[in-house]
Amino acid sequence: MTTHPDTCVGHIHLRVSDLDRAVAFYRDVMGFTLTQTYGRQAAFLSAGGYHHHIGLNTWESRGGPPPSKGSTGLYHVAFLYPDRPALAATLQRVLDAGVPIEGAADHGVSEAVYFSDPDGNGIEIYRDRAEPDWPRDATGTLGMVNDPLDLDVLLAEA
């Protein structure tokens, strides 16, 4: 049995230590729109008017520390942007907010930038190349790579 090909990830729900700080990051830096709050315990944000793509809550984590390295849990959440200019604009906001970039890569199929939110949750922002441009060998097998991504060239498209 396989998953239906039209299946997609609907939203992510993150435990955070400070709801106001997390909302400010995902709204003001990442550019999502706040759609609803549940008192001082939870908030929901989206892109394009959807009910929510990101849920943030402090139900079990208010004032808590970030997850420790070497423990299980979410490695990162990935946000797919429709094109290079949209990716570059988001990267510029991230840099303007003083968020340290932890990595950047050209994967052949996509271009990706990695950093963390204020609670230490890993974030990937990326854009996909058109499928006909994906690297494949002579047999058609996908050949993803992990090449450097020139952020200055990307930012020129912001």
Side-chain angles (χ1 to χ4, degrees), residues 29 34 37 41 43 49-50 54 60 62-63 67 75 79 81 85 99 106 111 123 125 132 135 139 144 149-150 154 157:
V29 177
L34 181 65
T37 59
Q41 296 181 340
Y50 188 65
I54 304 167
E60 300 172 354
R62 183 181 305 276
Y75 187 72
F79 297 109
Y81 289 83
V99 176
D106 181 338
E111 295 176 307
I123 295 175
I125 56 173
T139 67
M144 290 179 59
L149 177 62
D150 188 330
L154 175 60
E157 296 197 34

Side-chain angles (χ1 to χ4, degrees), residues 45-99:
L45 299 99
S46 80
Y50 188 65
H51 55 79
H52 75 285
H53 290 105
I54 304 167
L56 306 169
N57 77 66
T58 58
W59 296 323
E60 300 172 354
S61 56
R62 183 181 305 276
S68 62
K69 299 292 181 195
S71 63
T72 59
L74 178 71
Y75 187 72
H76 69 241
V77 58
F79 297 109
L80 174 62
Y81 289 83
D83 54 35
R84 231 170 174 246
L87 175 62
T90 300
L91 174 58
Q92 188 63 65
R93 284 194 310 273
V94 167
L95 292 171
D96 290 347
V99 176

